Amino acid sequence: MNIAPPTRRELVLVAVLFLSILYYSNLQLRNALIVTPVSPPVIPHRPAPVDSLVEKTPRVYDTRLSWGDDAVPASKVLSHVPGWSIIDRLYLLGGVVYIVSDDPESVPDTSTMYSKGIHILPGKEHEDSRLPGDEDIRIVSTAEAKKLFGTGASVIDGVTYFVNDHPQFIRHYYHWSAELYFGFWRTYSSLDPSISTEGNTTLPQPRHMFFNRLDAFRWRDPTDMNQLVLRSSFPDVTMEFIDDWDDRAKMNVPFVFDRVVLADRSAAMISYNYKRYQRTAAAPFALPGSFNWWMTIRNSVIQMAGMDIEDGSSTSDKPVITYVSRQAWGRRTLIPEHHDRLVKELYRLRDTYGWEVNVVLMENFSRMEQIQLSVRTTVLLGVHGNGLTNLLWMRPTPRTTVIEIFYPEGFAHDYEYTARSLGITHYGFWDSASFTSPNTPVNYYPDEFQGDKIPIDAEAVGRLIYDRLTLSLEVDD
Ligand SMILES: *[C@@H]1O[C@H](CO)[C@@H](O)[C@H](O)[C@H]1NC(C)=O
Ligand SMILES: *[C@@H]1O[C@H](CO)[C@@H](O)[C@H](O)[C@H]1NC(C)=O
């Protein structure tokens, strides 16, 4: 076939076409650059290198509160319930705690704030032996303070959590995270009743934790959870223990705390809420507070475990049921056949409704995995015990539920009160009977409470779980 050579007209057309393609593609490239600029990567802001922390103007450190010839600045009790107090300018001299006030009537009785911090045993006689004396705490006038302290005191700056407790109730995940730490944050957060669901708060982080009755190795719990909770919620808090307290006492010079949140277990035990619930952390719930008060701590802890604050079972997600088994413990366990039936019932729910069911021994999980699983869990189920402490990390929604099994007639408020104070529904079970607040029984430990013959009616539990998860909810979360 013979192909005619291109005419001049054709050559011109091809050239025009080529140039237009070039022009338009260039235009598009430029438009692209103009219309959708590439956004710079979001780098979380942190005041970085040490250079920027160097101050330009030399100054002396603020190590002293000096009043010279003036009156000693008075202490101020900002907030108080038995066992939990927030005090500005609490003084310390020779191992004695001082509240400086010319209006001692306005200061709560020292026995509701402080004690001898000794081992707690039941009975009136022991209760009396724990009451504080002049060698522990004193309320003094500004004139007396002047004689004692002289012209100034060394400052312990920022907010200090101060624990005047014997080690007895500290080395335990529940007693630390759901009681001491819980009570501290509940007390302190009463100063910010507007904490948001994200946990945003105007409160500065505590700078220090003081334990004046405790050796450094005696605050960690056997599962290492206490450390994890502290280091993830307040990563830069410094801690002092009995040796440090003694160092300061022996110097015999005055120190002053900017602000302390003071906890005393023995003093909290005289509160109505303690008598009612056997929980020292119940006392600060008499103070104002945000509904979201715990979110500041919870969100830091779960983020450290790699979860997002939005994670967790919402009312529309597939529910997750987690049964924390204690059967391997040989103590406070279900009748073996009842445990088997319960597991079968849970698997029946899973197979019928497509819900996720986990039957777990918490000790088989790493600490991170425990937290991750709790965040995802909608219904947490188990016999009364420390495995339920992880309810602290659940996402409180209208259907989030904790189901706690007791030996019939036995009851303790530990997890019930904890769940309720986080906005989580709690049900107790006595075999086939269930109860929930406000119809909770009184604290009672029958002989079989700790035994290995706890009965449970698996179908009754299944029915309650079904009701909780299919509840028609008016509020969306
Ligand atoms: C909470 O704080 C975060 C980060 O500081 C901010 O992005 C968010 O808007 C705050 N939320 C509220 C309700 O203040
Ligand atoms: C827990 O771990 C032990 C030992 O590794 C294992 O025998 C047991 O089956 C595990 N139990 C559960 C419920 O995962």
Side-chain angles (χ1 to χ4, degrees):
M1 200 156 82
N2 232 348
I3 298 167
T7 61
R8 209 157 72 165
R9 190 158 169 260
E10 279 167 341
L11 279 176
V12 168
L13 276 175
V14 167
V16 166
L17 189 67
F18 181 68
L19 283 174
S20 342
I21 288 171
L22 257 186
Y23 176 78
Y24 279 109
S25 60
N26 194 23
L27 194 71
Q28 244 161 6
L29 195 67
R30 252 187 294 164
N31 278 351
L33 281 176
I34 292 160
V35 176
T36 52
V38 180
S39 34
V42 181
I43 298 167
H45 176 74
R46 285 267 172 240
V50 174
D51 261 5
S52 62
L53 296 178
V54 173
E55 294 189 11
K56 298 287 177 276
T57 323
R59 60 177 187 90
V60 289
Y61 292 148
D62 298 328
T63 61
R64 300 285 294 168
L65 174 66
S66 300
W67 49 82
D69 290 335
D70 296 336
V72 179
S75 311
K76 184 165 183 210
V77 180
L78 291 183
S79 200
H80 169 77
V81 289
W84 304 91
S85 317
I86 307 179
I87 306 169
D88 281 357
R89 290 180 299 279
L90 181 73
Y91 293 82
L92 203 61
L93 173 65
V96 181
V97 167
Y98 288 88
I99 294 172
V100 175
S101 175
D102 286 332
D103 180 16
E105 297 297 307
S106 71
V107 179
D109 194 293
T110 52
S111 66
T112 66
M113 293 193 274
Y114 208 73
S115 73
K116 292 210 176 294
I118 55 179
H119 197 270
I120 292 176
L121 294 166
K124 175 84 176 107
E125 194 185 324
H126 290 291
E127 205 174 292
D128 291 345
S129 72
R130 295 196 300 270
L131 293 175
D134 268 0
E135 63 284 10
D136 305 301
I137 186 167
R138 284 181 224 171
I139 301 172
V140 293
S141 67
T142 53
E144 285 171 279
K146 186 101 171 197
K147 273 188 237 148
L148 285 162
F149 305 158
T151 57
S154 297
V155 174
I156 300 167
D157 70 338
V159 175
T160 302
Y161 278 4
F162 179 4
V163 191
N164 185 41
D165 285 354
H166 184 274
Q168 189 181 4
F169 286 103
I170 291 179
R171 305 182 70 170
H172 189 278
Y173 179 29
Y174 165 77
H175 284 297
W176 172 276
S177 301
E179 226 185 358
L180 181 62
Y181 208 60
F182 205 71
F184 258 134
W185 183 252
R186 183 59 185 78
T187 305
Y188 182 42
S189 68
S190 68
L191 300 180
D192 180 6
S194 60
I195 293 177
S196 69
T197 47
E198 295 117 305
N200 294 20
T201 178
T202 54
L203 297 169
Q205 286 191 46
R207 300 278 316 268
H208 319 283
M209 274 191 101
F210 275 42
F211 295 86
N212 57 343
R213 314 281 178 186
L214 202 68
D215 288 312
F217 62 91
R218 298 187 78 172
W219 68 281
R220 298 174 173 88
D221 71 304
T223 63
D224 291 340
M225 275 297 207
N226 291 354
Q227 300 92 290
L228 182 142
V229 171
L230 178 76
R231 302 295 182 206
S232 51
S233 46
F234 304 133
D236 54 4
V237 83
T238 60
M239 303 175 94
E240 290 202 9
F241 297 92
I242 191 165
D243 288 354
D244 309 284
W245 180 263
D246 289 346
D247 286 344
R248 292 180 188 275
K250 282 182 197 140
M251 286 168 70
N252 215 30
V253 296
F255 289 91
V256 59
F257 292 99
D258 273 343
R259 174 167 293 177
V260 291
V261 185
L262 173 61
D264 189 298
R265 186 177 182 89
S266 180
M269 287 171 72
I270 60 182
S271 70
Y272 168 80
N273 272 1
Y274 181 85
K275 293 199 166 74
R276 172 82 176 79
Y277 300 113
Q278 272 69 45
R279 278 177 55 81
T280 61
F285 284 88
L287 299 171
S290 160
F291 180 76
N292 305 304
W293 70 281
W294 182 242
M295 290 299 114
T296 313
I297 306 292
R298 182 228 180 223
N299 288 347
S300 300
V301 172
I302 73 163
Q303 284 176 310
M304 178 262 344
M307 304 294 278
D308 189 86
I309 62 172
E310 296 296 323
D311 287 348
S313 161
S314 76
T315 45
S316 51
D317 290 338
K318 175 162 123 175
V320 177
I321 303 164
T322 301
Y323 166 36
V324 182
S325 167
R326 288 182 54 92
Q327 293 307 100
W329 282 73
R331 193 172 148 270
R332 223 182 302 133
T333 51
L334 297 177
I335 298 168
E337 303 80 64
H338 289 205
H339 162 82
D340 294 344
R341 261 183 259 151
L342 181 60
V343 172
K344 238 170 102 186
E345 173 65 9
L346 296 176
Y347 288 152
R348 187 190 67 80
L349 293 175
R350 177 193 65 188
D351 298 339
T352 313
Y353 304 106
W355 299 334
E356 178 180 330
V357 169
N358 306 292
V359 178
V360 301
L361 288 178
M362 272 303 177
E363 52 279 18
N364 275 22
F365 284 73
S366 74
R367 297 180 290 173
M368 300 298 178
E369 288 166 341
Q370 288 186 38
I371 293 170
Q372 289 161 359
L373 180 61
S374 327
V375 170
R376 295 181 52 246
T377 294
T378 326
V379 177
L380 182 68
L381 164 71
V383 174
H384 170 81
N386 206 10
L388 297 178
T389 303
N390 284 313
L391 74 89
L392 292 172
W393 321 119
M394 292 173 85
R395 176 170 169 180
T397 73
R399 69 176 184 182
T400 308
T401 309
V402 172
I403 299 177
E404 186 176 3
I405 303 165
F406 298 91
Y407 190 86
E409 301 193 358
F411 183 67
H413 273 284
D414 302 351
Y415 304 99
E416 189 276 330
Y417 198 96
T418 308
R420 193 150 42 87
S421 54
L422 299 173
I424 294 172
T425 302
H426 174 281
Y427 277 87
F429 257 95
W430 288 341
D431 197 0
S432 58
S434 65
F435 50 85
T436 191
S437 174
N439 302 315
T440 50
V442 290
N443 262 56
Y444 178 54
Y445 299 94
D447 289 344
E448 302 88 341
F449 191 88
Q450 311 285 6
D452 57 3
K453 294 195 175 49
I454 302 175
I456 188 69
D457 178 340
E459 280 85 53
V461 173
R463 276 195 301 275
L464 180 74
I465 293 176
Y466 176 82
D467 286 349
R468 290 291 305 157
L469 294 180
T470 54
L471 198 71
S472 69
L473 298 160
E474 265 140 49
V475 251
D476 249 352
D477 67 313

